[in-house]
Amino acid sequence: MPNPDFSMDIQISFGHCDPAGIVFYPNYFRWFDRCFHTYLQKTAGGHRRLCNVLDAKGIGLMDVHANFVSPAMDGDMMTLDMSILDWGNKSLTLGYLGRIGSRAVLEGTELRGMFVMREGRLRAGEMAPLRALLDAGLPETPST
Amino acid sequence: MPNPDFSMDIQISFGHCDPAGIVFYPNYFRWFDRCFHTYLQKTAGGHRRLCNVLDAKGIGLMDVHANFVSPAMDGDMMTLDMSILDWGNKSLTLGYLGRIGSRAVLEGTELRGMFVMREGRLRAGEMAPLRALLDAGLPETPST
Amino acid sequence: MPNPDFSMDIQISFGHCDPAGIVFYPNYFRWFDRCFHTYLQKTAGGHRRLCNVLDAKGIGLMDVHANFVSPAMDGDMMTLDMSILDWGNKSLTLGYLGRIGSRAVLEGTELRGMFVMREGRLRAGEMAPLRALLDAGLPETPST
Amino acid sequence: MPNPDFSMDIQISFGHCDPAGIVFYPNYFRWFDRCFHTYLQKTAGGHRRLCNVLDAKGIGLMDVHANFVSPAMDGDMMTLDMSILDWGNKSLTLGYLGRIGSRAVLEGTELRGMFVMREGRLRAGEMAPLRALLDAGLPETPST
């Protein structure tokens, strides 16, 4: 992932770790999710604004995978890189790489859909309008 | 607390514990909250039903306290007792006692309010209608 | 998964859910992990005992995957089935199926290794001794 | 709290919030704990180093309290201030204030002890050696 679309630093803390002294693995997925939502926040005003504009219920998970390469522990600073790997008609694939310095901690992917209510059922909606909003970015604040 | 209003068993697991091998303390509050919500579920059909009937946004926290008496660890079965300690006009005080067998693990209290939207603002509403619904319990399923 | 090796019921609670009103997905992995550890507890006295007997640091994650089929929400009772899918020389593959009644919520797999300290490094150890202990079960309590 | 001993920013994310759209309250305690541990990290090399030097098992909770003043939600940036309120012989009282801009979100206190193994039992140890290490700070890295 030479050019991630978004990166954030995670200060690994005591409470993230289990009795073996390493990160309790579900926490990595809380960070995947937080990374994506922070990206939405910085790029397009956040999940709530996007859902309002797009009349969607949420941009949620359909599939997730992670491969744990090496452990992280209390005191480590992990950089989490996120890349948009693929836009499908009704899905978005995100890639994640967590690393401490140059050492890989984990790699993973999320497959997300945008869920909309149609004819009384929750369905995966078209992704093109979401993509357009993310590409457009936030409107400029008028200078006067 | 000789006669708790509700009790649940919590199987303490590896992932609830920190590198010192004991329960990471914020988990106790997840269990307080789960105990209260399970009580609502069993007694009156759950938080969502109650909020719909009462036109409320939620029955949430105003204040919380806990005293940690002894540690719990992976493999322990903790019984969590909940008692309704006091109904105020606009609040409800709940008491909690966690124990492993006869050994106390923690004691705590939650002060909760029922939040309603009035004149565009979120306010603590009157508790009497909630109390009445909890006292009434679930409607009987008709026997035929 | 017609004959799971272990099953547990998860009462989905308010605090497990996100602003879209459905389970926040990292929680499913907390339940995968809890299911496996509860299985160890019931079958062989728990993770700590096994690690002591086998001189291991932990039985942890190498890879995980989940596919989210339908949402779960506050008030749902989810049954989580766990099956031992495969024993490798240095790994164990576990399959999970979460369902509410007959409706599938998610399917997933965990690939776990048993980590041991050898020559100053943490390595994946042989799984045969762990398998033997799980097959043997807990020693009978002598009747006198 | 005019001069907190430590402050950190918490970017409130979607996954921190519950179906009412506001922070699920146990998360505030994860942030209290993370704030204290990050303070230990920055000031004295972290919890593990301190426990090694002081032959302690952990610097853990004896009592905690929080008062929730106003809600926080997805997209909010909360500043969490921590102040050392009091050193007792065998305890340390920490005060916390969470705020979004100038609006208070919550106030709380943690009472912590340093747990040491003495004569086969876990006890609250003397705090003076911990205080001395925190006051001394990290040793200077030699300039040559």
Side-chain angles (χ1 to χ4, degrees):
Chain A
M1 263 195 282
N3 289 304
D5 291 280
F6 191 70
S7 291
M8 59 190 299
D9 287 336
I10 310 281
Q11 171 80 51
I12 308 291
S13 186
F14 182 79
H16 298 134
C17 300
D18 63 24
I22 64 177
V23 169
F24 180 53
Y25 91 86
N27 286 319
Y28 288 113
F29 296 105
R30 297 200 302 107
W31 297 326
F32 281 13
D33 189 84
R34 179 146 67 94
C35 191
F36 177 67
H37 276 88
T38 307
Y39 164 76
L40 295 184
Q41 186 73 28
K42 305 287 188 196
T43 308
H47 183 260
R48 193 169 42 218
R49 173 183 175 265
L50 288 167
C51 288
N52 286 343
V53 172
L54 298 168
D55 192 24
K57 302 296 276 186
I59 304 165
L61 264 283
M62 301 196 295
D63 200 276
V64 69
H65 171 256
N67 182 252
F68 304 97
V69 181
S70 71
M73 60 183 58
D74 182 15
D76 285 338
M77 180 64 83
M78 186 179 82
T79 301
L80 186 59
D81 294 331
M82 185 198 90
S83 296
I84 295 179
L85 297 185
D86 186 56
W87 284 99
N89 283 341
K90 297 193 172 180
S91 67
L92 165 62
T93 306
L94 300 160
Y96 294 91
L97 173 63
R99 56 192 168 79
I100 295 169
S102 60
R103 171 169 64 89
V105 170
L106 85 162
E107 298 177 304
T109 53
E110 286 185 330
L111 183 73
R112 287 178 178 262
M114 185 172 68
F115 297 99
V116 293
M117 196 62 83
R118 294 287 180 268
E119 298 152 20
R121 284 192 49 209
L122 210 56
R123 294 157 189 271
E126 298 287 333
M127 297 304 267
L130 174 61
R131 185 176 186 174
L133 283 173
L134 291 175
D135 286 349
L138 283 170
E140 294 288 330
T141 307
S143 57
T144 311
Chain B
M1 267 195 279
N3 290 303
D5 290 280
F6 191 70
S7 290
M8 60 189 301
D9 287 336
I10 310 281
Q11 172 79 52
I12 308 291
S13 186
F14 182 79
H16 299 134
C17 301
D18 63 24
I22 64 176
V23 170
F24 181 53
Y25 91 84
N27 286 319
Y28 289 112
F29 296 106
R30 297 199 303 106
W31 297 326
F32 282 11
D33 189 84
R34 179 146 67 95
C35 192
F36 177 67
H37 276 87
T38 307
Y39 163 77
L40 295 185
Q41 187 74 25
K42 305 287 187 195
T43 308
H47 183 262
R48 193 170 42 219
R49 173 183 175 265
L50 288 166
C51 287
N52 286 344
V53 172
L54 298 168
D55 192 24
K57 302 297 277 184
I59 305 167
L61 264 283
M62 302 195 295
D63 199 277
V64 70
H65 170 257
N67 183 251
F68 304 97
V69 181
S70 71
M73 59 183 60
D74 182 14
D76 286 337
M77 179 65 82
M78 186 179 83
T79 300
L80 186 59
D81 294 331
M82 185 198 91
S83 296
I84 295 179
L85 296 185
D86 187 55
W87 285 98
N89 284 341
K90 298 193 172 181
S91 66
L92 164 62
T93 307
L94 301 159
Y96 294 91
L97 174 63
R99 56 194 166 78
I100 295 169
S102 61
R103 171 169 65 88
V105 171
L106 85 162
E107 298 177 305
T109 54
E110 286 185 330
L111 183 73
R112 287 179 179 262
M114 185 171 69
F115 297 98
V116 293
M117 195 62 81
R118 295 286 180 269
E119 296 153 23
R121 282 193 49 207
L122 210 57
R123 295 159 189 271
E126 297 288 332
M127 297 303 266
L130 173 62
R131 185 175 186 176
L133 283 173
L134 291 175
D135 286 349
L138 283 170
E140 294 289 330
T141 308
S143 56
T144 312
Chain C
M1 266 196 278
N3 290 303
D5 290 281
F6 191 71
S7 291
M8 59 189 300
D9 286 336
I10 311 281
Q11 172 79 52
I12 308 291
S13 187
F14 181 79
H16 298 134
C17 300
D18 63 23
I22 64 176
V23 169
F24 181 54
Y25 92 84
N27 286 318
Y28 289 112
F29 296 106
R30 297 199 304 106
W31 297 326
F32 281 12
D33 189 84
R34 180 146 67 94
C35 191
F36 177 67
H37 275 87
T38 307
Y39 163 76
L40 295 185
Q41 187 73 28
K42 304 287 187 196
T43 308
H47 183 262
R48 191 169 43 219
R49 174 184 174 265
L50 287 166
C51 287
N52 286 343
V53 171
L54 298 168
D55 192 24
K57 302 298 277 185
I59 305 166
L61 264 283
M62 302 196 295
D63 200 277
V64 69
H65 170 256
N67 182 251
F68 304 97
V69 181
S70 71
M73 60 183 59
D74 182 14
D76 286 337
M77 179 66 80
M78 186 180 82
T79 301
L80 186 59
D81 294 331
M82 185 199 92
S83 296
I84 295 179
L85 296 186
D86 186 56
W87 284 99
N89 284 340
K90 298 194 172 179
S91 66
L92 165 62
T93 307
L94 300 160
Y96 295 91
L97 173 63
R99 55 193 168 80
I100 295 170
S102 61
R103 171 168 66 87
V105 170
L106 85 162
E107 298 177 304
T109 53
E110 286 185 330
L111 183 73
R112 286 178 180 262
M114 185 171 69
F115 297 98
V116 293
M117 196 61 83
R118 296 286 181 269
E119 298 153 22
R121 283 192 49 207
L122 210 56
R123 295 157 189 271
E126 297 288 332
M127 296 304 267
L130 173 61
R131 185 175 187 176
L133 282 172
L134 291 174
D135 287 349
L138 282 170
E140 295 288 330
T141 307
S143 55
T144 308
Chain D
M1 267 196 280
N3 289 304
D5 291 280
F6 191 70
S7 292
M8 59 190 300
D9 287 336
I10 311 281
Q11 172 80 50
I12 309 291
S13 186
F14 182 78
H16 298 134
C17 300
D18 63 23
I22 63 177
V23 169
F24 181 53
Y25 91 85
N27 286 320
Y28 289 113
F29 296 106
R30 298 199 302 107
W31 298 326
F32 281 13
D33 189 85
R34 179 146 67 95
C35 191
F36 176 66
H37 276 86
T38 307
Y39 164 76
L40 296 185
Q41 186 74 27
K42 304 287 187 197
T43 308
H47 183 262
R48 193 169 40 219
R49 174 184 175 264
L50 287 166
C51 287
N52 286 344
V53 171
L54 298 168
D55 192 24
K57 301 297 276 185
I59 305 167
L61 264 284
M62 302 196 295
D63 199 277
V64 70
H65 170 256
N67 182 251
F68 304 97
V69 181
S70 71
M73 59 184 58
D74 182 14
D76 286 337
M77 179 64 82
M78 185 178 83
T79 301
L80 186 59
D81 294 331
M82 185 199 90
S83 295
I84 294 178
L85 296 185
D86 186 55
W87 284 99
N89 283 341
K90 298 193 172 182
S91 67
L92 165 62
T93 306
L94 301 160
Y96 295 91
L97 174 63
R99 55 193 168 78
I100 295 169
S102 61
R103 171 169 65 87
V105 170
L106 86 163
E107 298 178 304
T109 52
E110 286 185 330
L111 183 73
R112 288 179 178 262
M114 185 171 68
F115 297 98
V116 293
M117 195 62 82
R118 294 287 181 269
E119 298 153 22
R121 284 191 48 207
L122 210 57
R123 295 157 189 273
E126 297 288 332
M127 297 304 266
L130 174 62
R131 184 176 187 175
L133 283 173
L134 291 174
D135 286 349
L138 283 170
E140 294 289 330
T141 307
S143 55
T144 314

